[in-house]
Amino acid sequence: MEEKESAKNAAEIESVQSIEPARVEEVAEIITDVIAELSASAAELSHTLHPHTATNLAGIVRIMNTYYSNLIEGHNMRPETSRGRLPET
């Protein structure tokens, strides 16, 4: 009996609804303003960086994103370990 209940609980945890991204129905105007400002600043920054610097920075950000994604998923992996596992761009 415990096996069936355990399988049922696992199915509930892994349901599609539990992994769907959250959707916000209404976004406050101040948030959309901040998003627009951030996007504009990012675009401006990308045009002011030397191409070599931008490439190096992109590599660092990829490693950082991989590290935090792994941490969220419960994998305690150091950033220097991730570096060798990422495909070259």
Side-chain angles (χ1 to χ4, degrees), residues 74-87:
H75 305 292
N76 192 8
M77 180 183 290
R78 303 293 305 156
E80 53 273 6
T81 307
S82 299
R83 183 176 296 134
R85 298 179 180 204
L86 293 173

Side-chain angles (χ1 to χ4, degrees), residues 10-22:
E12 288 173 1
I13 292 171
E14 295 298 325
S15 69
V16 173
Q17 290 77 16
S18 71
I19 60 174
E20 272 185 6

Side-chain angles (χ1 to χ4, degrees), residues 54-69:
T55 300
N56 288 339
L57 185 59
I60 292 168
V61 170
R62 286 179 64 223
I63 292 168
M64 180 183 67
N65 286 343
T66 301
Y67 170 73
Y68 283 109
S69 292

Side-chain angles (χ1 to χ4, degrees), residues 6 14 16 23 39 41 45 57 63 69 72:
S6 178
E14 295 298 325
V16 173
R23 299 211 190 324
S39 295
S41 295
L45 176 63
L57 185 59
I63 292 168
S69 292
I72 289 167

